Structure formats: C-alpha cells, structure tokens
Amino acid sequence: MNTAEYLLAALARRGTKRIYGVPGGGSSLDIIAAAERFGIRFILARHEGNAAMMAVADAEITGAPGVVLTTKGPGLMNALNGIACAALERAPVLLLTDGFTEKQLSYITHQVFDQRNVSAELVKGYTQARSDSPAAEIEALLDLAMQAPLGPVHLDLTSEAARRPAGELLALPAKSETPLDAGALAQARAMLAAARKPVILAGVEAMAAAEPLRALVAALGCPALVTYKAKGVIADADPHFVGIFTGGSLEAPCVQEADLIILAGLDPVELILQPWRYQIPVLDIGLRAHPVHYVTPNASLHGALAPCFTALTQSAQPSAWDGAMIAGHRDTMRAALTWQGSGGVAPPRIVTLAQEAARRAGRRPRISVDAGAHMFSATAFWECMAPRDVLISNGLASMGFALPAALAAALDNPADGAIAFTGDGGLMMCVAELATAAEAAAPCITIVFNDGALSLIDIKQQQRQLPPEGVRWARPDFAAIAEGFGATGFRASTEAEYITALDAAFALKGPSLIDVTVDPAGYAAQLQAMRG
C-alpha cells in the first residue's frame, strides 16, 4: 500500500466509516479516490468548519477516529473552529490537510503559512508521514488521538508523501489496563463508607462506562446528576436521576444536601464560568488528574473508569437517601424551567412534542443541540435512555454545531435518523449543510427556534440595562431556504401546526426543516433558574 491507502486501512481497522470535508488538489484527491475500497464514504461538506463538527459528532457516536479533510491554506483555517471543538469536547478527530513539499516551498508563497504552528495550540500531535516508516507515524498519531484526554491530531500530507510506499498494516499493540492504585482505592472506599448522603455528578468521561456507573448509583441509592455531555449515562427514567449539573444554581439544593460529592468522569471543561459553590468533601474519579479545576478534590481515583466504578460498587452500602427525596429534587428542578413566555410555541413543548412524534413514528433519533438559550429546554426535556442520545458542543460551546452533528448522526443510523435543535443564529452559521444533507439523503429533521435574536446574549444585554443593539435581526424564512437547498421545509407558529409538521417530517426519507416561531420572553427566567 502507499501512504494514502495505509492511512485509510488504519482508519478502517479502528472503525472509521466516513470522512467529511472539502478537498483541494493535492493528497485529498488521493484519499477520496481510494476511500471506497476501504469501506469509507467521503461526504462533501459546504464548509470545512462544519465538516470538522461532523467529524466530532461521528467520533463521539462511534468511538472511532472522526476525520475532516481539507486543502492547504484557507481549507485548514476554515476547519479550525471545529478542531477547537474536538479539543474541548475530548473527541478523537484526525485533521487531514494537503501540504507543501520542500521543493514547492523553495519558490511558492501563495497560500503558504506554517500549517504546523497554526494547528499546534489545538491538536495533540502532528506529522507529515515523510519518515522512512510512514506506517509507524500514522499509527502513533492515531494512537495519540485515542489516549486520554481524547482529542484531535493533524496529518499534513503532500501528494508526494501520499503516494510513497508504506507497506502492510502494522500489528496493533495488545491493549493493557493499568491496575487500580490500591492506596487510592482504599481511600475512596473509606470516604464512601463514611458518607451517609453521597451525590454523583457524572461527566463526559463516564460515557464509555455507563453500565458500571449505573450499578454504583443503584447500590448507593443516591441521586445522580449529569453534565450536558453525559446526558443518558444515567437514563432520565432512572429513579435516581435528578437532572443536569452545570455548576449553576438550579442543582444547588440537591447537591448541598449531600455530605460527599463524587465526580464520576466529570471534566472541568464542562462547567460554566462560575466559582465552585460547595464546601463538601469531593471524591474525583476520572481518567486523569486535571491541572486546572474548579475544586481541589479530597481524594482521587484515576484510571479506566469501569474498573473504578465496579470496585466501589463491590463495597457500597445503601445511603440515607430515599426515593421521595430524590424525586422531590428532580421535580423541583424540572418545575423551575417551566416556560413563562407566551406566543408562538413554547420551547419545552417544541422538545416534548418532537419526542412524542418520534415515538408515533416508531423512531428513536439522536438529537443535537446548538449553543444558545434554546439549549435549556432541549437538554432538560428530551428524555434520554443511553449515552450520546444528545450531542452538544459544551466545552467549546460553539454555535453552528447542531445541524452538522445531526447530519453525521443520521448517516450513522439512518433507520432512526436525527433531530437538530438549533437557534436561528446558529443555523445561519451552517445552513448550507442542508444541501449536504439533501445530497447524502440524510434523514435528519432540523427544528429551528426562530426568535429573531441571539437570545442568550440579548438576555445578558438586558440584565446590564444596555440598549438592544447588535443582537437582533429580522426573522428569516428558513422553510423557504430549506426548500432551496433540496430539503423539505415547514413553518409553524402554533402547536397544532407544529404537530402536523412533525408527523409529515417523520414520514419523509430525506432531510427536512421545521421553522418554529418562538417568543423569547421566557428565556430570561430559565437562565436565572439555571445559573442564578
């Protein structure tokens, strides 16, 4: 195999099924030409940043490396927001760019800058596969992406390097698991034994260890809260599930009642920009120590999470919590997000009616959620059963994530499809990917909370009693725009119109969009309830 073929074989062996991007005229054409032979589909996106978001979602869903392919120069630059997303969402993504040869750099300056240094702040590793062993370089780079903390890596590949011989696939090293630190485990067990009312706060690292974590929660009989990224690790229907933990005020009454906080795979990148508000002992269970954290743990247990949770379950005793206490906190949190606006369709109803329509259609779609005020309703009111039922940009909290992520989710599971819950501002950053969804026949439904503003920023502007400038716009007709890109468009300003549109959308085989009129007046109360 040449190097391009070796890369594709190495990716396929690790489970990669799709590459997203916008090609240039160099090595990217070699990759596209050979991809199908290795069972990998190339998806032509409309913008490299969106393609990188698709790769992030693909990596989160499958656990395999996501791949974004770009040309040199502007293609790389366009992809960087998505690569930042991969870094802060802890997603293993390969950034695959065209590169310049040394000979070209001796006389070319057009589109030339130091591509390695440009990506260096965001990626874990970089290579050009130009050594005597390009196969070893590629395997090492992919291994690095898959090591904690998961994250993006960069392969800067010239056409010349892509066509060099690389040999047969190297054998992968046998997986080995580091045994738990006996002293740390004993300390964690002692803290757990001394606690009468522990609470578990689950984060993104727990996604791969959901079943052992659920067993620990059941053994303790304690309340469990999840970050946005960890929705579904504890199912919403689990009697121990309370709600979402962000570091804000909504969850504080439940957490403050505890005498031990257990961070279960919680990465500090997931929390909002507020100081830690609890004077309660903390046990940190995670893949690694975090050099910057909101809280200094009293004890830590680091390593593979499934063995950590299993070891603690073996010695766990039922806590002093009872079902009524946990249910009370859950009901209080949910009630605090009750919509107080009027006009249009209430955001919580947009979410719950979509799930009801999915059930009528016999579907269990994943959802993706964009950054913005609508995310409070989307994450709180969509009922999850399993990890990755919800895809969201939380560490970077980038707008323009929901549609690309839903497209990737729909391609991964076309039988159930996907729903993108997005604000009008976020959709305008990536709306051209509706054409990508149409060409790929992706069964994704984009639901737009059309409120005519950057509502989250609008609220903050109002809180500061500043003039309403720079945050509002005329409401676009997104249904008409969708039709122009080849998707089916619907508009709804009442619940009845919305329900009709949902049922029609779920009956389609390809992509659709529902443009829902929302009065943003209720967002301020939700924000106050969530964050204080």
Short mmCIF file of all heavy atoms in Angstrom, two decimals, residues 142 189 219 226 242 376 385 396 507:
data_model
loop_
_atom_site.label_atom_id
_atom_site.label_comp_id
_atom_site.label_asym_id
_atom_site.label_seq_id
_atom_site.Cartn_x
_atom_site.Cartn_y
_atom_site.Cartn_z
N LEU A 142 -2.62 8.19 15.37
CA LEU A 142 -3.97 7.74 15.70
C LEU A 142 -4.04 7.22 17.13
O LEU A 142 -5.05 7.44 17.83
CB LEU A 142 -4.43 6.66 14.71
CG LEU A 142 -4.56 7.11 13.25
CD1 LEU A 142 -4.98 5.95 12.36
CD2 LEU A 142 -5.56 8.26 13.12
N ARG A 189 -12.82 4.17 49.01
CA ARG A 189 -13.79 3.33 49.71
C ARG A 189 -14.06 3.85 51.12
O ARG A 189 -15.21 3.81 51.60
CB ARG A 189 -13.27 1.88 49.77
CG ARG A 189 -13.45 1.12 48.47
CD ARG A 189 -12.84 -0.25 48.54
NE ARG A 189 -13.33 -1.11 47.46
CZ ARG A 189 -12.75 -2.25 47.08
NH1 ARG A 189 -11.64 -2.66 47.71
NH2 ARG A 189 -13.27 -2.96 46.10
N ALA A 219 -26.51 0.78 43.75
CA ALA A 219 -26.02 0.21 45.02
C ALA A 219 -26.06 1.24 46.14
O ALA A 219 -26.38 0.91 47.29
CB ALA A 219 -24.60 -0.34 44.84
N VAL A 226 -26.11 14.76 35.81
CA VAL A 226 -25.21 14.60 34.67
C VAL A 226 -24.92 15.96 34.04
O VAL A 226 -25.74 16.87 34.11
CB VAL A 226 -25.82 13.66 33.60
CG1 VAL A 226 -26.09 12.28 34.18
CG2 VAL A 226 -27.09 14.25 33.00
N VAL A 242 -31.68 13.00 38.71
CA VAL A 242 -32.25 14.26 39.19
C VAL A 242 -32.30 15.30 38.08
O VAL A 242 -33.32 15.97 37.90
CB VAL A 242 -31.45 14.79 40.39
CG1 VAL A 242 -31.94 16.19 40.79
CG2 VAL A 242 -31.57 13.84 41.57
N PHE A 376 -31.48 25.13 27.03
CA PHE A 376 -32.02 24.82 28.36
C PHE A 376 -33.19 23.84 28.24
O PHE A 376 -33.28 22.85 28.97
CB PHE A 376 -32.47 26.09 29.07
CG PHE A 376 -31.41 27.13 29.23
CD1 PHE A 376 -31.70 28.47 29.05
CD2 PHE A 376 -30.11 26.79 29.56
CE1 PHE A 376 -30.73 29.45 29.20
CE2 PHE A 376 -29.13 27.75 29.71
CZ PHE A 376 -29.43 29.09 29.52
N MET A 385 -32.17 7.66 27.04
CA MET A 385 -32.04 6.29 27.53
C MET A 385 -30.60 5.83 27.59
O MET A 385 -30.25 4.98 28.41
CB MET A 385 -32.84 5.34 26.63
CG MET A 385 -34.33 5.58 26.61
SD MET A 385 -35.16 4.56 25.37
CE MET A 385 -34.70 2.91 25.91
N LEU A 396 -16.41 23.78 24.15
CA LEU A 396 -16.23 25.00 23.35
C LEU A 396 -17.51 25.82 23.33
O LEU A 396 -17.47 27.04 23.24
CB LEU A 396 -15.83 24.63 21.92
CG LEU A 396 -15.56 25.82 20.98
CD1 LEU A 396 -14.36 26.63 21.47
CD2 LEU A 396 -15.34 25.35 19.55
N ALA A 507 -42.39 11.25 8.25
CA ALA A 507 -42.82 10.38 7.16
C ALA A 507 -41.89 10.45 5.95
O ALA A 507 -41.96 9.61 5.05
CB ALA A 507 -44.24 10.73 6.73
#
